[in-house]
Amino acid sequence: MRIILASSFVPFINGGYRFIVEWLEEKLTEYGHQVERFYLPFVDRAEDLFDQILSFRLIDLSASCDRLITFRPPAHVLPHPNKVVWFIHHIRTMYDLWDSPYRMVEDNPLGRAIRQRLFDLDTTTLMQSRRVFTNSRTVANRLLQFNGVSATPLYPPLSNPDRFRNDRYGDEILVVCRVEAHKRQLLLVEAMRHVKSAVKLRLCGTGMSTEYLAAIRRTIASDLGERVIFENSWISEDRKIELLASALAVAYLPMDEDSYGYPTLEAALSCKGAITTADSGGVLEFVQHGVNGIVAEPDAVSLADAMDRLYCDRALAARMGAMSMKRVEELQINWPRVVESLIA
Amino acid sequence: MKVLVVNNAAPFVRGGAEELADHLVRELNATKGVEAELMRIPFRWEPAEGPSTKFSSIVTYA
């Protein structure tokens, strides 16, 4: 089958929103399909929101492939008779982040009309697809709530799940993801001031906000130099696998995330549990408190307590790790299921 | 310096223009202080139904 994968992107910004596309591209090729991938530019911006969306709509791929698979909005507006949408989030500043400081336009009659227009065009174009899948139950619920569209959660697997391994349960709580305010690494660093055990924290990743990076460095330098390690770089897959293999557990506490997050899955495949927080959104579809991880409150003391618990009870850390691995099977997070669903 | 290399692309067609763009991005990335990325915009030389016949349905997303 000739398949085109289409998503939107912001040039030079990497992250999970590209992995889901590129890993699927690899797998579909392995399954013998001809695959072509397009990233079209889109920025969350009010001034030319509809102009940008219209530029997607004007691209006609209907005669170019047997199947179109779309990901990040507004790629789903691309017209095609055999379109399948793997929806990873809405234009959130117009949807679920409306009642937040991030709202894209003013909450006045004009702003509300613009919002309704976006709802309508999203709903119309989503309805024009064969099937709509999402990366999580959280996002499927939002589609139903805002657009009345029923979607099926299809959890995205990692590219090479077999490469991960478990060597031991060491002393470090590991955090590997972009270093940004909404990922809350700073809160974990602050939590280290409250731990009672000798547990350590290792942060790996890069970020766009120099202020946030500086705040983390400052907090570590003040009194945590011995116990918090900050590798402020994009680490290789090999190094990540190595660090995960000897970690005690993983921490991943994004603010109201859309999906369970690749760090959670990487932890599971390395037989490690995850520490997260009650407001981390899609992560809670994977992490069950006391079973395969700890769901703490989003405050320093509660997180410190979670880290101490795992450090002082390695048997608990191992049990949670094993249950994490099992959770991957329970939720059917694997490529055969993904490929079968998307090309059916 | 960030450099965006832009090319048009007929789906599933690869030729000299694609090779040129790929090599350019690779060489730019091998240059100290330069970060390069390729953006490919789908393009068809011959519209299937003539110019703009679907304009009204396009703008209403119907």
Side-chain angles (χ1 to χ4, degrees):
Chain A
M1 204 188 276
R2 284 178 315 158
I3 304 169
I4 290 183
L5 310 181
S7 195
S8 65
F9 82 139
V10 182
F12 305 103
I13 304 291
N14 276 309
Y17 83 107
R18 292 197 190 198
F19 297 150
I20 188 173
V21 183
E22 288 163 31
W23 292 344
L24 178 64
E25 181 182 8
E26 278 172 31
K27 299 299 159 188
L28 289 171
T29 308
E30 276 173 35
Y31 276 75
H33 298 287
Q34 270 182 281
V35 188
E36 177 80 275
R37 160 169 56 88
F38 288 113
Y39 284 139
L40 303 167
F42 180 78
V43 262
D44 272 28
R45 188 170 60 201
E47 302 91 276
D48 58 354
L49 179 71
F50 292 119
D51 290 347
Q52 290 188 74
I53 297 174
L54 183 59
S55 75
F56 278 68
R57 186 67 171 174
L58 289 168
I59 294 173
D60 183 3
L61 297 168
S62 54
S64 304
C65 58
D66 307 307
R67 170 130 329 170
L68 175 69
I69 302 175
T70 72
F71 302 81
R72 183 173 180 262
H76 60 271
V77 309
L78 287 164
H80 195 279
N82 277 307
K83 176 168 72 181
V84 172
V85 179
W86 198 1
F87 198 78
I88 59 174
H89 58 70
H90 284 93
I91 295 173
R92 297 188 62 189
T93 50
M94 292 292 269
Y95 276 87
D96 56 297
L97 295 180
W98 182 260
D99 292 314
S100 82
Y102 304 107
R103 185 170 55 225
M104 192 193 282
V105 294
E106 301 259 331
D107 186 7
N108 59 25
L110 177 62
R112 286 193 291 274
I114 291 172
R115 187 182 190 217
Q116 188 58 50
R117 181 78 181 101
L118 179 65
F119 282 20
D120 291 346
L121 81 84
D122 278 341
T123 303
T124 305
T125 52
L126 287 165
M127 295 287 199
Q128 290 163 352
S129 57
R130 287 170 69 101
R131 286 288 296 275
V132 181
F133 296 96
T134 60
N135 53 345
S136 68
R137 171 69 52 201
T138 305
V139 170
N141 288 345
R142 285 185 204 147
L143 273 175
L144 194 60
Q145 179 198 341
F146 291 111
N147 306 99
V149 170
S150 321
T152 312
L154 184 62
Y155 294 107
L158 292 172
S159 169
N160 289 303
D162 301 336
R163 290 184 63 201
F164 292 85
R165 63 170 206 274
N166 176 30
D167 293 344
R168 63 195 174 93
Y169 294 90
D171 298 336
E172 288 180 6
I173 303 291
L174 182 63
V175 186
V176 186
C177 65
R178 284 184 296 130
V179 185
E180 300 291 351
H182 68 277
K183 304 282 188 187
R184 289 189 289 199
Q185 282 93 343
L186 185 57
L187 181 59
L188 282 164
V189 174
E190 283 162 357
M192 286 300 286
R193 290 204 173 124
H194 300 274
V195 297
K196 300 184 178 74
S197 69
V199 68
K200 289 186 173 156
L201 176 69
R202 182 185 294 268
L203 311 176
C204 303
T206 55
M208 299 289 282
S209 160
T210 45
E211 298 99 73
Y212 192 64
L213 294 169
I216 290 176
R217 283 208 197 85
R218 247 189 342 263
T219 312
I220 296 172
S222 63
D223 57 347
L224 295 165
E226 299 291 297
R227 288 180 296 144
V228 181
I229 305 133
F230 185 19
E231 284 186 47
N232 187 201
S233 61
W234 184 273
I235 62 169
S236 70
E237 279 297 297
D238 285 343
R239 173 140 183 82
K240 181 163 67 184
I241 289 164
E242 188 77 33
L243 289 170
L244 281 163
S246 59
L248 173 62
V250 154
Y252 188 58
L253 35 136
M255 238 180 281
D256 197 18
E257 184 92 327
D258 304 309
S259 180
Y260 53 67
Y262 289 126
T264 324
L265 195 52
E266 287 164 348
L269 295 168
S270 311
C271 236
K272 302 292 151 71
I275 295 173
T276 189
T277 46
D279 59 355
S280 286
V283 182
L284 303 172
E285 291 175 44
F286 191 92
V287 180
Q288 302 162 295
H289 181 65
V291 179
N292 62 349
I294 298 178
V295 180
E297 291 307 311
D299 66 67
V301 174
S302 177
L303 285 163
D305 183 58
M307 292 193 270
D308 279 337
R309 258 184 80 193
L310 292 167
Y311 184 87
C312 299
D313 188 351
R314 304 298 163 108
L316 177 69
R319 250 191 338 269
M320 286 181 169
M323 292 308 282
S324 268
M325 188 75 112
K326 218 171 132 197
R327 186 82 176 136
V328 178
E329 279 170 43
E330 265 172 27
L331 294 178
Q332 293 183 280
I333 306 173
N334 60 69
W335 284 111
R337 171 156 190 264
V338 167
V339 170
E340 196 181 311
S341 305
L342 294 174
I343 64 170
Chain B
M1 185 175 34
K2 292 190 170 102
V3 181
L4 192 66
V5 176
V6 183
N7 205 1
N8 72 18
F12 304 103
V13 177
R14 271 197 77 81
E18 284 68 32
E19 292 295 321
L20 174 62
D22 286 350
H23 289 310
L24 178 60
V25 168
R26 198 155 53 234
E27 292 302 318
L28 284 168
N29 274 322
T31 308
K32 197 171 157 43
V34 176
E35 191 186 347
E37 174 155 29
L38 176 65
M39 180 165 80
R40 301 163 66 239
I41 306 287
F43 187 76
R44 285 169 56 189
W45 295 103
E46 290 169 41
E49 301 172 33
S52 295
T53 52
K54 293 192 295 184
F55 187 75
S56 66
S57 78
I58 282 166
V59 295
T60 56
Y61 301 89

